[in-house]
Amino acid sequence: MTTSRPPRTILSVLAAVLLPLLAAVALTAPPAAAAPPAATARRAAVPTATLTEVTNFGTNPSNLQMYLYVPNNVTAHPAVVVAVHYCTGSGPAMYNGTEWARLADTHGFVVIYPSVTRASKCFDVSSPQALKRGGGSDPVGIKSMIDWVTRTYDADTGKIFATGISSGAMMTNVLLGDYPDVFAAGAAFSGVPFGCFATTDGSEWNSACANGTVTHTPQQWGDLVRAAYPGYTGRRPRMQLWHGTEDTTLRYPNFGEEIKQWTDVLGAGQTPAATDTPVSGWTRTRYGSTGDQAPVEAISLQGVGHNLYANGMASRALTFFGLDGSGSTPQPQPGTCKVTATTSAWSTGLTASVTITNTGTTPVDGWRLGFTLPAGQTITNGWGATYAPSSGAVTATNASYDGTIAPNASVSIGYQANHSGNSAAPAAFTLNGTACTAG
């Protein structure tokens, strides 16, 4: 008798068919693509080329919102710019109303736009909590945003910058005071010094500061900054300051107080190393050095009010930050120089004669002579150079016909001025930022 084999089950049939196929696939299929490296995964945290809100970014005691702009061409270890809005503004408004996102597209850095949720839409630059490191207010939330970006995009911690307008300018001052170890530089448009807006009654507004009546010595202003992070002895961030002479919201004297504060903090001295007029109506003074990245740079806009920000200014801030690739461009430096100045006076006026001698061994090709007029003197006209401003710290810029001074050669210039009793000549001079011997 013949015994038949039992029928194979469906599973055994499938196995018989599929196993050879699977083996063939295993032998012929290309290897699976490797998983993207962790850095690549992190860099895709938010969509590029669009403003995106980031939530749960870290400690945020005052409930700020975080908006982020990452360009398509974000660099491997990007710089970070924190762009802080004005009162009544927002992060999206700062994004739409300034050039920072467009500049990020060009240069590959990341922009953080903090946004206030309190009713005033003003940043806290007044409370004791805001004016100290880790104090528990807006600066802590902004620091958390920076930390999130640094982790997520492997940001260059040596290239973190802050900028802001009005309330945002005041916050720029505060951030650089609270976190000097975080920021490389700041640019404040229409702000006030760190600590000027301080209050203890819960108010967000300080009328005395806004009206420009709060004044201190440079050291007193500097001490306020140093007290925000007691014991810190490291590098301090550079500061660029902008202010309009007709500002009626945060009045113009605040500009001079900011200069006093940051020149003291950075040890740059109160006398400008260079003064020029980059745009008609602007007076730019640089302290500590003459190049594009001086420790302190201050731009005064004649006849301009509180809303001074305009297209093109962010690009100048970017140059100050050193993010546009231009680097520092100091003015030509003479080897040594000598200046002789005399005056001939009458009751309310004077004529000054000034001789500039290049005592170095190389030509000076293009020059700016810096000096400070005695109090009460105002230049009414001049020759051999253009003079700006007409009083205080003045810069005389060469005329077209006398811009080159050969070694051991001299040029003579002069001016007429009104005076209120003091008819003396200036006592000290700099030529392209280099101190000259007074003859």
Side-chain angles (χ1 to χ4, degrees):
M1 183 176 70
T2 303
T3 305
S4 63
R5 299 173 61 190
R8 291 181 292 180
T9 64
I10 294 175
L11 287 177
S12 62
V13 172
L14 289 175
V17 174
L18 290 177
L19 284 175
L21 291 175
L22 290 172
V25 170
L27 290 172
T28 60
T40 302
R42 288 197 298 269
R43 291 164 68 81
V46 302
T48 58
T50 186
L51 187 68
T52 304
E53 183 175 4
V54 176
T55 59
N56 300 318
F57 50 82
T59 304
N60 184 23
S62 53
N63 195 34
L64 298 178
Q65 290 175 287
M66 174 184 175
Y67 292 90
L68 189 66
Y69 183 81
V70 179
N72 283 325
N73 63 332
V74 60
T75 59
H77 300 286
V80 179
V81 173
V82 181
V84 194
H85 68 73
Y86 42 87
C87 281
T88 75
S90 66
M94 194 73 174
Y95 165 77
N96 289 314
T98 65
E99 307 141 276
W100 287 107
R102 179 176 60 78
L103 292 170
D105 287 335
T106 301
H107 299 286
F109 58 83
V110 174
V111 190
I112 299 171
Y113 297 94
S115 197
V116 169
T117 57
R118 63 178 63 90
S120 66
K121 299 301 176 68
C122 296
F123 285 91
D124 176 14
V125 295
S126 307
S127 73
Q129 292 77 21
L131 298 175
K132 65 180 180 179
R133 181 184 182 85
S137 188
D138 291 354
V140 171
I142 294 173
K143 172 63 163 53
S144 295
M145 298 177 195
I146 295 168
D147 291 343
W148 188 94
V149 170
T150 299
R151 292 191 305 269
T152 305
Y153 291 92
D154 298 319
D156 186 340
T157 57
K159 294 182 179 179
I160 311 293
F161 304 91
T163 186
I165 303 169
S166 188
S167 178
M170 293 192 278
M171 178 52 74
T172 297
N173 278 266
V174 168
L175 288 171
L176 268 60
D178 285 358
Y179 296 101
D181 54 330
V182 172
F183 294 95
F189 296 82
S190 302
V192 303
F194 177 100
C196 185
F197 240 60
T199 60
T200 56
D201 60 0
S203 173
E204 296 179 29
W205 189 256
N206 185 318
S207 294
C209 178
N211 290 330
T213 62
V214 177
T215 60
H216 294 303
T217 66
Q219 182 172 339
Q220 288 170 333
W221 279 124
D223 287 346
L224 289 176
V225 171
R226 288 182 284 268
Y229 187 4
Y232 179 72
T233 58
R235 174 199 56 82
R236 294 277 178 174
R238 298 176 297 109
M239 177 63 95
Q240 184 187 63
L241 304 165
W242 299 70
H243 221 104
T245 61
E246 301 304 314
D247 191 331
T248 57
T249 302
L250 301 173
R251 293 187 178 271
Y252 186 66
N254 283 302
F255 180 59
E257 300 302 302
E258 283 181 296
I259 293 172
K260 286 158 60 175
Q261 182 171 69
W262 291 104
T263 52
D264 180 80
V265 168
L266 289 158
Q270 301 294 300
T271 302
T275 304
D276 64 359
T277 306
V279 174
S280 178
W282 294 14
T283 300
R284 178 173 61 187
T285 49
R286 287 169 167 167
Y287 301 82
S289 71
T290 63
D292 287 339
Q293 286 134 50
V296 178
E297 180 174 274
I299 301 98
S300 171
L301 282 68
Q302 183 65 38
V304 176
H306 186 62
N307 298 322
L308 64 77
Y309 182 85
N311 282 343
M313 291 181 179
S315 294
R316 291 180 179 272
L318 196 75
T319 297
F320 179 75
F321 291 167
L323 293 182
D324 64 354
S326 65
S328 181
T329 55
Q331 298 159 350
Q333 298 293 309
T336 54
C337 49
K338 178 181 177 181
V339 178
T340 301
T342 60
T343 60
S344 176
W346 59 94
S347 57
T348 59
L350 62 86
T351 298
S353 298
V354 180
T355 300
I356 309 166
T357 302
N358 176 9
T359 56
T361 59
T362 58
V364 177
D365 187 11
W367 52 264
R368 291 182 173 88
L369 184 71
F371 57 90
T372 299
L373 289 174
Q377 292 187 16
T378 303
I379 295 174
T380 56
N381 62 78
W383 52 92
T386 57
Y387 300 82
S390 59
S391 61
V394 177
T395 296
T397 304
N398 67 270
S400 59
Y401 55 81
D402 63 1
T404 299
I405 312 176
N408 299 314
S410 301
V411 297
S412 294
I413 63 174
Y415 57 87
Q416 287 186 322
N418 295 328
H419 70 83
S420 58
N422 186 349
S423 60
F429 298 87
T430 60
L431 187 63
N432 290 351
T434 294
C436 299
T437 302

